[in-house]
Amino acid sequence: MRAITFDDTTMSVTDLPDPVPAAGEVLIEVAAAGVNNADLQQRAGNYPPPPGASEILGLEVSGTVRALGEGVTSVAVGDRVCALLSGGGYASLVVAPATQVLPVPDSVDLVEAAGLPEAACTVYSNIGMLAGLRPGQTLLVHGGTGGMGSHAVLWAKALGATVIATSGGDRKVQASRDLGADLVVDHRAEDFVERVLAFTDGVGVDVVLDVVGPSYLARNLQALAPNGHIAVIASGSGSTAELDLSALMRKRASISGTTLRARPLAEKAAIVAAVREHVWPFVADGSVRPVIDTVLPLADVEEAHRKVRDGEVVGKVLLTL
């Protein structure tokens, strides 16, 4: 198979032995792989794969099932699928646990489907399963045009929630509006706490999906309604913060922080099953769609990483095989 290998200075396409599916696994011929910030962090040495996972970059793919490991009955050879991975996605072939494979609806382009698994599983496990967002509630999404944020806006709107998104600059503000956000705050020019409280008549939001971390923690709490929840899925501004516990307790609020890649297989299987039940019907009817900024061939992996690093993309960057 062809795969991306890397060292301290370069990434390149290399021929490697084909993987073989073990019991409970599926061999996928890859159509496209999603590019995530986690891939950049792994390349920089800051986010190693969990024990036993492939050292090849890539946490999500779409493609066609080519072989089944022993005991797999949930998919068939020839099925169009996408999959959540612990690694190995930047390759022409990859194996994935069958419990982390999702069918690609006929209405969804197979290449674009590579932009769904990581965002769908991260977003739903945090704002659906942990925060329990319900129809009629209000969600604040930071980074409303990122890979996670764009999916969160679409899913929450499909669910029946009100969505406030923060984005930076005219292009991204308009993109968030186009996705369906009810209010978009330009974080480069506006105070999101003031805008949120004005929009909600001083009540605040029920759930915050945060990718910023420490520098937003106190302000997120200010913007939160009583009994609200802050879900932290990334920490772009650092790793430590001070928290006013009295303010947290007065609001009877809760905060969670999660990663997805290193979770046990059973936990990821449960998340994927929940996504299939609660998110995939919206994907099938078009309410939730892959939001794709750029599609590049595998050999242009350096350019793909540059685009993600620069932070000017709307949605996901994909690599095609």
Side-chain angles (χ1 to χ4, degrees):
M1 69 175 184
R2 293 176 296 125
I4 293 295
T5 57
F6 65 95
D7 55 28
D8 292 340
T9 58
T10 61
M11 292 186 288
S12 57
V13 180
T14 305
D15 289 329
L16 296 175
D18 292 353
V20 177
E25 292 183 334
V26 174
L27 178 68
I28 300 169
E29 182 179 340
V30 176
V35 178
N36 293 280
N37 186 61
D39 305 336
L40 279 64
Q41 293 299 313
Q42 179 180 335
R43 187 190 177 195
N46 300 324
Y47 194 40
S54 172
E55 296 284 342
I56 297 169
L57 302 172
L59 302 180
E60 59 185 342
V61 297
S62 61
T64 305
V65 175
R66 286 299 175 229
L68 306 176
E70 182 181 354
V72 175
T73 59
S74 55
V75 296
V77 172
D79 283 357
R80 293 171 8 118
V81 298
C82 57
L84 180 72
L85 309 171
S86 296
Y90 291 13
S92 56
L93 293 169
V94 68
V95 291
T99 53
Q100 292 172 212
V101 173
L102 289 157
V104 175
D106 291 340
S107 57
V108 178
D109 179 83
L110 184 60
V111 167
E112 292 189 348
L116 286 170
E118 182 76 10
C121 291
T122 299
V123 168
Y124 187 75
S125 63
N126 280 276
I127 64 176
M129 298 171 77
L130 276 176
L133 184 72
R134 302 187 301 275
Q137 291 189 322
T138 303
L139 170 69
L140 170 60
V141 179
H142 291 301
T145 56
M148 301 301 166
S150 57
H151 180 88
V153 171
L154 290 171
W155 178 76
K157 289 300 298 179
L159 180 71
T162 297
V163 178
I164 302 170
T166 65
S167 297
D170 292 344
R171 173 174 174 263
K172 288 193 172 185
V173 166
Q174 186 57 52
S176 285
R177 292 192 182 114
D178 293 342
L179 288 169
D182 298 280
L183 172 69
V184 184
V185 180
D186 186 344
H187 64 76
R188 297 177 183 175
E190 302 174 290
D191 185 305
F192 75 81
V193 177
E194 291 180 1
R195 294 294 308 279
V196 163
L197 294 178
F199 184 78
T200 61
D201 296 325
V203 175
V205 299
D206 299 288
V207 178
V208 178
L209 184 68
D210 183 38
V211 296
V212 180
S215 67
Y216 271 20
L217 182 57
R219 297 165 69 199
N220 283 337
L221 189 54
Q222 287 179 287
L224 199 66
N227 303 301
H229 184 92
I230 300 170
V232 182
I233 60 170
S235 187
S237 62
S239 59
T240 60
E242 290 188 3
L243 174 64
D244 183 345
L245 290 176
S246 62
L248 182 76
M249 292 185 289
R250 283 195 301 271
K251 288 197 173 182
R252 302 176 300 281
S254 57
I255 302 172
S256 63
T258 69
T259 59
L260 182 59
R261 184 182 195 182
R263 288 192 180 201
L265 287 175
E267 289 188 18
K268 287 194 274 192
I271 290 169
V272 171
V275 164
R276 185 166 186 170
E277 179 179 358
H278 297 287
V279 179
W280 236 237
F282 295 134
V283 174
D285 71 15
S287 302
V288 173
R289 64 186 187 279
V291 181
I292 308 302
D293 184 276
T294 307
V295 179
L296 295 168
L298 186 66
D300 289 347
V301 61
E302 294 280 7
E303 174 64 8
H305 277 215
R306 185 197 65 76
K307 283 182 171 290
V308 173
R309 185 182 303 111
D310 289 350
E312 291 304 316
V313 298
V314 173
K316 301 297 286 281
V317 175
L318 304 181
L319 294 169
T320 54
L321 278 294

